[in-house]
Structure formats: structure tokens, C-alpha cells
Amino acid sequence: MSQNLSELDLSHLQEALSRSGQKVTPQRETVFKVLLAKRDHPTVDEVFNRAREAMPGLSLATVYNCLETFVGCGLVRQVNHERESTRYCPNLAPHAHFRDKETGRVHDIDLPPEVLGSLRSILPPGFDSETIEISFHGRAQAKDGPAS
Amino acid sequence: MSQNLSELDLSHLQEALSRSGQKVTPQRETVFKVLLAKRDHPTVDEVFNRAREAMPGLSLATVYNCLETFVGCGLVRQVNHERESTRYCPNLAPHAHFRDKETGRVHDIDLPPEVLGSLRSILPPGFDSETIEISFHGRAQAKDGPAS
DNA sequence: TTCCTGTTTAGAATGAGTCAAAATCTCAGC
DNA sequence: GCTGAGATTTTGACTCATTCTAAACAGGAA
């Protein structure tokens, strides 16, 4: 539950927000720290509950606002699986997601550039893709450890 | 709005349903025909409206039921994009989806076996994937024609 | 201070989807 | 052709993630 989030991580927040003309507020800091502290793809509700430990007055709407802001300035990615609640992920490296049928956990799967390339190459001319989402669904061996 | 859907298509329905011990009903036929008639990844609401032209008494819940049944017996795939309404797709060949930012249309993108293979290969040992969903998001040149 | 703008808050509203229970259908067995 | 069991459909109520609205708040420029 580290208090030792590197300054570097928080400076990302600072930088990304000011890049898009927005302010660093206590709420945004708190929410961002929650995302960095446990990278388990929490839902809004989970973020809300964790964040309230540090900031009891925080409102759910604000958590929605913060997360939307982060997504908007590229700090965080949304992860959707079927119709379940949206989850949030501060891993900015290109990666796919694997959703475990049994546990519901979401795992990051590293996406090598050549695979990304071959994916891009299947688009016929005229299709200009900004984002690609890849999600696997199945069972993962209980390789425990932090629910990545 | 072709009445000439091949017998073959409808026999798929027949076969897939009885394979899982379920009945062919007028409602299911109607809904299935709607999916085949215009392969534009309709939402439940769109299916509902189209189906009611042929069967005015049809209820929304039944459309949900039918589509769930079809997905369950592998006749149809669900397509989710972000938090938008679920769409349905009778194309069973392996393919990705491209969602046009501007029009909202969803296009099927053919997925060659070798690309599918290279995707599978990025899974670390212990990850056993049953389904893969790939979705692109961006702009598509107005290569008009039926909103594939 | 005062104003302005962006942010946060609480609560109401939305809307896709699900559920429960009654009505209806189908069809095997008589 | 009837009967009864099981599947299917219907209606309407319900859930719940998310969005919206309007009022309070914060903090910097004038």
C-alpha cells in the first residue's frame, strides 16, 4: 500500500494535466495514487472505495470525473469487457487484456511491436485506426501474485 | 429486404437450435431473418424495430431472449464497443471489428489465420484463451455500400 | 475584495439490460 | 382430438452503471 509512489509517477499527472490546461487538485491526486498503488484494473466503485480511505468526503461523481479526465489526457486506459463495469488501467505500454472467466481478474498481456504491426496490416486501405483493443477471454492458471 | 434468404441460412438456425435441444419458433425465425437480411451489426433496439415490421406483436424481451439463445448456440456473435449498446453479428468467420468514429458504423475486418496465430502466441504459458476480440477504432473512408 | 473559471458535490435522471410471474404454445403420449 | 409437461413469450417492474443538473466551492487575476 506504498506511500512511496515515485515523484516521477505523480509528475506524470502534473504534466499530462497541464498539457491539456487542467489543474492538479487533491481529488485528482488521490484518485491517481489509487490507480498506481494497486494495478489490478479496478472499477469505478473500487477506485471510489479505495480513494475514500484517504479522502472521506470524495464523491462518486468526482471519481467519474477524474477518471474521465485521465483518459482524456492519455494518462489511463479504459478496459471494457462485455457489459461489465468499466475498469481502469494506468499501464500505457501497448498491451492486450486477458480476462479470467473464473476469477474475473484482468491481466495485462504484453503486445510486441511486430504483432501490433501485423494487426494493423489487416486493415484494408481507407481504414485509419487510432486505437486497437484486444481482449482474450478464458482461464488463467492460478499464477497468483498481485492481480496484475 | 429480400424474401430470398437461402434455405441454407435458415437450416443453420434449425440445426444449431436442435443441437442444443431448443425449438425453432416463429419469433426466433423472424429475429434470425432480420440479422441475415441486413448485416450491419444492429443493436437490440434496431433488431426489435425491424422484426416488428414482420411480426407486430413481438416483444422486446423476446428479442433479448432470441439473441441470447443465438449467441449461446454459436449462431451469432456479440459486438461490444466501449459502453455502447451491444450489437449483433451473424458473421461466424474469424474477424475483427472496426468502429467508425464519425458514423458509428461497425465494419468486419477479415482476420487471416496467421495473424490470429501470432496473437495467440503472445499469451504466456498458463493462459488458456477461448475467445479473442479485436476492435479498431478510427475513421473509415466513406467507401459506401451496405454498412457491412 | 470581487469576478471568473474550472472543479466538486449530491441527488435526480437515463437507459441498457435483467428478472419474475402469468399467459401461451408445442408436442409426446394417450 | 385431448391432456399435461416443459419450453417460450409477454408484460411490466426492477437494477445498476453511468450521465446530467444545479448549486456550492476554490483559487487565481484584476
Side-chain angles (χ1 to χ4, degrees):
Chain A
M1 279 309 154
S2 48
Q3 210 54 278
N4 62 353
L5 299 165
S6 74
E7 292 299 318
L8 201 145
D9 285 330
L10 283 183
S11 71
H12 274 177
L13 175 64
Q14 159 73 273
E15 189 200 319
L17 284 175
S18 65
R19 203 188 314 127
S20 51
Q22 291 173 97
K23 293 173 188 166
V24 178
T25 66
Q27 288 86 344
R28 286 174 179 167
E29 261 192 27
T30 303
V31 170
F32 193 59
K33 279 183 189 164
V34 163
L35 290 178
L36 295 179
K38 198 173 171 206
R39 297 160 157 264
D40 61 350
H41 307 86
T43 61
V44 173
D45 246 49
E46 287 163 348
V47 173
F48 180 49
N49 289 322
R50 294 177 198 173
R52 277 224 285 200
E53 284 169 22
M55 184 180 269
L58 186 68
S59 85
L60 181 60
T62 301
V63 175
Y64 274 100
N65 289 341
C66 290
L67 291 170
E68 193 192 356
T69 303
F70 297 164
V71 171
C73 64
L75 268 176
V76 158
R77 276 174 59 182
Q78 273 185 330
V79 185
N80 289 293
H81 266 101
E82 322 262 298
R83 294 242 104 227
E84 295 179 357
S85 308
T86 300
R87 295 172 175 277
Y88 292 83
C89 164
N91 178 355
L92 294 177
H95 65 280
H97 289 113
F98 185 103
R99 170 136 187 306
D100 188 315
K101 242 186 164 158
E102 324 234 278
T103 65
R105 281 195 200 170
V106 176
H107 303 265
D108 285 355
I109 305 289
D110 197 55
L111 192 57
E114 67 275 14
V115 174
L116 193 55
S118 80
L119 261 180
R120 285 232 181 75
S121 76
I122 71 175
L123 286 176
F127 287 84
D128 207 353
S129 157
E130 280 170 29
T131 62
I132 310 183
E133 261 189 61
I134 303 165
S135 46
F136 297 89
H137 192 209
R139 277 158 230 258
Q141 223 70 191
K143 159 236 179 192
D144 232 47
S148 149
Chain B
M1 282 302 156
S2 48
Q3 209 53 278
N4 62 353
L5 299 165
S6 74
E7 292 301 317
L8 200 146
D9 284 330
L10 283 183
S11 71
H12 274 177
L13 176 63
Q14 160 72 271
E15 188 201 320
L17 284 175
S18 64
R19 203 188 314 128
S20 52
Q22 292 173 95
K23 294 174 186 164
V24 179
T25 66
Q27 288 86 345
R28 286 176 179 164
E29 262 193 26
T30 304
V31 170
F32 193 60
K33 278 183 189 163
V34 163
L35 289 179
L36 295 179
K38 198 172 170 206
R39 298 161 157 265
D40 61 349
H41 305 88
T43 62
V44 173
D45 247 50
E46 287 162 348
V47 173
F48 180 50
N49 289 321
R50 292 176 200 175
R52 278 226 283 200
E53 284 168 22
M55 184 181 271
L58 187 67
S59 84
L60 180 60
T62 300
V63 175
Y64 274 102
N65 290 341
C66 292
L67 291 169
E68 193 191 358
T69 302
F70 296 164
V71 171
C73 63
L75 267 176
V76 157
R77 277 174 58 182
Q78 272 185 331
V79 185
N80 289 292
H81 265 102
E82 321 260 301
R83 295 243 102 226
E84 295 179 356
S85 310
T86 300
R87 293 171 176 277
Y88 293 84
C89 164
N91 177 355
L92 294 177
H95 65 280
H97 289 114
F98 185 102
R99 170 137 186 307
D100 188 314
K101 242 187 162 153
E102 324 234 277
T103 65
R105 279 195 200 172
V106 175
H107 303 265
D108 286 355
I109 305 289
D110 197 56
L111 190 57
E114 67 276 13
V115 174
L116 192 54
S118 80
L119 260 179
R120 286 233 179 74
S121 75
I122 71 175
L123 286 176
F127 287 84
D128 206 354
S129 156
E130 281 171 27
T131 61
I132 310 184
E133 262 191 59
I134 303 164
S135 46
F136 298 89
H137 193 208
R139 276 158 231 258
Q141 223 68 190
K143 158 235 180 194
D144 234 45
S148 148

